[in-house]
Amino acid sequence: MITVSNLFKSFGQTPVLCGATLTLAKGTSTVVIGKSGSGKSVLMKSILGLVKPDSGTILQDGAPLDQTRFLDDFGMLFQGAALFDSLPVWQNVAFRLLRRMPKAKARAIALEKLGRVGLEADVADRLPAMLSGGMQKRAGLARAIATNPSVLFFDEPTTGLDPIMARAINDLIRDIVRETHATTLTITHDMTTVRTIADTVMLLDQGKVHWQGTVPQLSESRDETLRSFIA
Amino acid sequence: MNPLAAVGRTTLLAVAAIGRITLFTLSAIVHIFRAPFYPRQFGLALVQIGWLSLPVVGLTSLFTGGALVMQIYAGGARFNAEAVVPQIVAIGMVRELGPVLVGLMVAARVTAAISAEIATMKVTEQIDALITLSTDPMRYLTVPRVLAGILVVPLLVAVGDIIGIMGGYGVATGSLGFSPAAYLRNTVNFLEPLDIASSLIKGTAFGLIATTMGCYFGINAGRGARGVGRATKSAVEATAVLILAANFALTAVIFSL
């Protein structure tokens, strides 16, 4: 379980996080929504240690989050996939595996994961620049799940994809989350993503969690801020 | 606006930037001696910085050596000192022009490439991805390039020195009437070990400067294509200025010995 309490972060004079508090329960899928500039990405990057919060606490299973230990059992799909463009696709997927096992074994696992996300083996030796946006997202997803991590983050997983590919990525994420029982955090603007993969939905507004509930509660809520966002 | 305040603010920003660059450089040097090491990245950096720079270094040195001979010959003729051309070309190339030209060529070619590549990785979140994959960007991106620069730029300087001297030799023997054997004998006999050592020391320092600046400005790039462009421009400018400043300082130190 990951617990974030009273996170504050400003860039210069601009406050971005203003006391964000949330809990990512073990084995559940939490989706954070919110308009641009509401602090979603900064919240995610703060948990990852990529941004240093001004104040607040981040705990994992009750103890202060140890970044090294946390990242060892973690996978992430970035908004633009963030594949390393100097490495072929299979080495991107096997990036972490190559430090832990022989090359042949790492490649075999990478091919298996590529297959899991619907990519053929012939993609493995191509460079990321030779793939379409949707294929890059799939390869990024394969890299995220390569080591079967217990925590997965998804940053705008369907941004920039056509509706059919977006649905395919949403379904893949849903299935992978169900299979792996991973604790997941997703940030998105896409309500289809929310309805497909969320156990818990949070609306981030003005740097803190404004509303929290389940997908059925989302439709029933009369909260004005929430309704203006999902309308 | 108070002009003194503006001067003060600019000075503080400059001092802070120098401090950050110094700390980054020290960190890169310290990390060279710490595991993990990435041999594949190091091998790629050796090829990029060393092997692929050879053509531009060779051509630059060749033409400069040839031009230098003509300049010294024309200048020397004013006081009947044409005979010292081989010695002055040798000392000029080895002590000064060879290292500086190679350093500036490496700045133009290697620093720009490193900075643009790493800055692009920054804006496309590839550096964040590295961190989430438990990989330290300092060890994976910076150390292999800096180590390759330290090792390979002195070799480039040595190659540049030799090609520059041979460029001068070609012009001197081909069109100025120098005896080939006497030209080579005068060149070799005149150079001292300290001349060659100073050339290699400068090459090492310039390799460190060129690669560290490329990595520093790349990792600290701003957002978007503009950020990449600005990082590359700043990296090349800073490298060129630092190489010339370091050349002055090293020359003062080495030849005061």
Side-chain angles (χ1 to χ4, degrees), chain B residues 17-33 138 142-143 146-147 150 204-217 219-220 238-239 242:
Chain B
I18 291 168
R20 282 194 299 272
I21 290 171
T22 306
L23 287 176
F24 184 85
T25 306
L26 290 175
S27 176
I29 292 169
V30 167
H31 278 86
I32 288 174
F33 303 101
M138 174 60 85
T142 303
V143 166
V146 170
L147 186 58
I150 289 172
T204 305
F206 299 165
L208 173 68
I209 291 169
T211 48
T212 309
M213 290 300 102
C215 294
Y216 174 81
F217 283 97
I219 284 174
N220 291 289
T239 303
L242 282 174

Side-chain angles (χ1 to χ4, degrees), chain A residues 9-211:
Chain A
K9 177 68 187 174
S10 298
F11 292 102
Q13 299 297 313
T14 312
V16 179
L17 294 179
C18 308
T21 298
L22 60 102
T23 297
L24 307 180
K26 207 162 201 162
T28 63
S29 171
T30 303
V31 177
V32 175
I33 56 175
K35 60 188 177 188
S36 299
S38 60
K40 302 186 298 296
S41 293
V42 176
L43 173 66
M44 185 176 264
K45 288 185 173 182
S46 298
I47 298 172
L48 295 175
L50 299 174
V51 167
K52 194 170 180 233
D54 298 331
S55 64
T57 56
I58 304 170
L59 305 177
Q60 186 177 20
D61 300 329
L65 187 137
D66 176 343
Q67 223 71 46
T68 309
R69 201 167 60 95
F70 174 73
L71 291 176
D72 269 347
D73 189 21
F74 171 80
M76 178 158 176
L77 172 59
F78 285 84
Q79 185 174 347
L83 298 171
F84 305 123
D85 42 25
S86 59
L87 300 178
V89 169
W90 83 265
Q91 285 188 23
N92 267 279
V93 176
F95 191 86
R96 207 194 283 263
L97 300 170
L98 284 164
R99 289 204 299 262
R100 300 179 181 175
M101 58 186 71
K103 196 172 175 180
K105 193 174 176 191
R107 184 180 164 92
I109 294 174
L111 292 179
E112 179 208 324
K113 298 297 179 188
L114 285 169
R116 176 65 192 87
V117 299
L119 289 174
E120 303 289 337
D122 65 339
V123 164
D125 293 310
R126 292 193 210 164
L127 289 172
M130 298 162 74
L131 306 185
S132 68
M135 290 166 91
Q136 288 189 18
K137 277 273 167 77
R138 286 174 189 262
L141 188 53
R143 181 174 69 183
I145 62 171
T147 54
N148 301 317
S150 62
V151 182
L152 282 165
F153 284 8
F154 305 104
D155 182 6
E156 307 272 8
T158 57
T159 298
L161 301 179
D162 64 71
I164 295 168
M165 184 58 73
R167 197 177 313 129
I169 293 288
N170 282 333
D171 290 346
L172 261 176
I173 291 174
R174 180 196 59 208
D175 295 345
I176 285 166
V177 169
R178 280 181 190 165
E179 283 166 24
T180 59
H181 304 293
T183 305
T184 68
L185 173 65
T186 306
I187 59 176
T188 186
H189 292 105
D190 182 349
M191 293 313 294
T192 309
T193 302
V194 176
R195 294 195 173 92
T196 308
I197 69 174
D199 294 320
T200 304
V201 186
M202 295 179 187
L203 172 69
L204 204 64
D205 187 50
Q206 297 182 352
K208 55 187 172 189
V209 175
H210 174 82
W211 183 91

